[in-house]
Amino acid sequence: MSNVIVAQSGGPTVAINASLVGVLAGARKCSEYDKVYGSVHGIEGVFEENFLDLTDVYTENSPEENMIFSTPSSYLGSCRYKLPHFNDDPETYKKLFNIFDKYDVGAFFYIGGNDSMDTIMKLAEYGKQIGSTIRFGGVPKTVDNDLMDTDHTPGFGSAAKFIATTMLEIAHDTSVYQADTVTIVEIMGRDAGWLTASAALARNSYSSLPQLIYLPEVAFDKDEFIGSIKEILKKTNNILVAISEGIHDADGNYLSASSKAEDKFGHAQLSGTGKVLESLVKAELGIKCRSIELSLPQRCAAHISSLTDLREAAELGEKAVEFAAQGNTGYMSSIIRKPGADYSCEIGMADLTKVANQEKKIPREWINEAGNDVTSELIDYLKPLIQGETNVKWENGLPVYKEIKHLTES
């Protein structure tokens, strides 16, 4: 029997720990694997041999494991490490595989988004090149819902539920005044607008707010924006607008006030888009306007998480182990939505060459012709993903989550 290493990478979410629980469950059920090591801080933890032995601590249906299931963020910590290609830096791969051999690793699972899947793809390719028997599997995770070859990604459903709930509560807040007001809510989404689109779920029988939704899939037109607000003001004094942080003009220029900064992967660091439009509304219309940037709270609001999201995350983790035990490598477990009016799905296996370094955007036909709202087809796609509530334990008025001393104490 060989051992397993599991790690988490990229931005934290509500569901990433449910995927970890799934990997643990898969390893328990599989006779091929013995110990399960959790790498602290992603692939960087492998280099440092910073491992938690999860084998005996978290057993099936134990209070510890159940608590991890509903705890937000990355229990094992995270990183944003870009693994170079083995042709450019073979020594890095030699070091990693020596460590894998040292711990008798038979499978490595990485729970993460696009960059994490790139890491798994490179490790699998190198492993094949040197004849290694280690299997490498990816488990999808990202609130952005922008991974290819999966219907949706764990973390997104819970984030969408938080956004829809928050938008509904903002709608109640802003509806009490008689004066003309515009409230702009900036939501995560650099190049894909899935999270912002979920604001439409806040609409109900008595409220049509938000009336406007702007996504990065369609070029943003300032004249259209001001014109739409003017038209809505003829009917109501209260306007709520949802915008993606990554909206841009026809030339591809971000509206963000800080779009020139980049992270180590070359991704634009966006912030302040709402403030830019707030200033525009005040200058053009001279009415009260506020902007709200949801920022980090979108990712880890476990108190309002989607049970569907967490259950599917665990299933993806468990299936990833099963696929490895069957001899597969260089894959990502994925969600396949079944056709029909009633929502159901199954877990499949995606080829990482079709996932890594690619991005899934909202189809143009799911956005209205004016580019300032979404269609009923997109709402139908989103609704099933936010269903169900988790059984979070509460104490002294606050949710109780699994402690993370191994991340906070040096």
Side-chain angles (χ1 to χ4, degrees), residues 81-313:
Y81 177 86
K82 186 170 181 61
L83 187 68
H85 195 275
F86 48 83
N87 288 337
D88 300 322
D89 188 0
E91 293 305 314
T92 291
Y93 287 80
K94 291 177 183 177
K95 181 177 180 179
L96 281 172
F97 276 73
N98 283 337
I99 294 171
F100 292 148
D101 289 342
K102 178 180 177 180
Y103 287 86
D104 193 21
V105 173
F108 176 81
F109 303 103
Y110 216 7
I111 308 170
N114 208 316
D115 296 316
S116 305
M117 297 307 111
D118 177 68
T119 295
I120 284 292
M121 182 178 68
K122 290 172 178 174
L123 289 171
E125 289 175 349
Y126 180 78
K128 289 179 180 178
Q129 181 173 294
I130 65 171
S132 172
T133 59
I134 302 174
R135 294 142 193 178
F136 297 92
V139 183
K141 171 275 333 171
T142 175
V143 296
D144 295 315
N145 196 40
D146 59 355
L147 286 180
M148 299 292 289
D149 254 28
T150 184
D151 181 78
H152 54 279
T153 55
F156 169 68
S158 293
K161 186 168 186 168
F162 169 80
I163 288 167
T165 302
T166 301
M167 295 297 288
L168 177 60
E169 292 168 347
I170 292 173
H172 274 258
D173 182 293
T174 58
S175 295
V176 303
Y177 303 105
Q178 290 185 314
D180 290 343
T181 61
V182 176
T183 305
I184 300 169
V185 182
E186 179 183 336
I187 299 169
M188 284 181 175
R190 182 177 52 245
D191 298 311
W194 298 102
L195 279 175
T196 305
S198 66
L201 297 174
R203 297 169 181 160
N204 55 35
S205 59
Y206 60 82
S207 173
S208 61
L209 277 65
Q211 299 99 326
L212 298 171
I213 298 176
Y214 291 96
L215 312 174
E217 282 83 357
V218 177
F220 182 81
D221 186 316
K222 292 181 180 179
D223 293 334
E224 183 280 327
F225 173 66
I226 295 298
S228 293
I229 291 178
K230 287 180 178 179
E231 285 299 313
I232 297 172
L233 284 172
K234 295 177 182 179
K235 304 173 184 177
T236 181
N237 66 302
N238 178 30
I239 300 177
L240 182 59
V241 184
I243 63 167
S244 292
E245 63 183 356
I247 56 174
H248 53 81
D249 62 23
D251 295 323
N253 300 310
Y254 291 112
L255 271 67
S256 168
S258 60
S259 61
K260 293 183 179 180
E262 294 184 349
D263 64 15
K264 65 177 66 177
F265 298 101
H267 302 150
Q269 298 296 281
L270 306 177
S271 180
T273 307
K275 282 295 180 185
V276 171
L277 294 183
E278 176 188 331
S279 298
L280 178 65
V281 170
K282 289 178 178 178
E284 293 289 329
L285 302 177
I287 62 175
K288 184 175 182 180
C289 183
R290 290 177 175 170
S291 61
I292 302 167
E293 184 178 350
L294 295 188
S295 192
L296 295 183
Q298 299 165 95
R299 303 196 302 195
C300 290
H303 63 286
I304 193 68
S305 57
S306 159
L307 184 58
T308 296
D309 187 28
L310 269 66
R311 282 177 173 170
E312 291 178 346

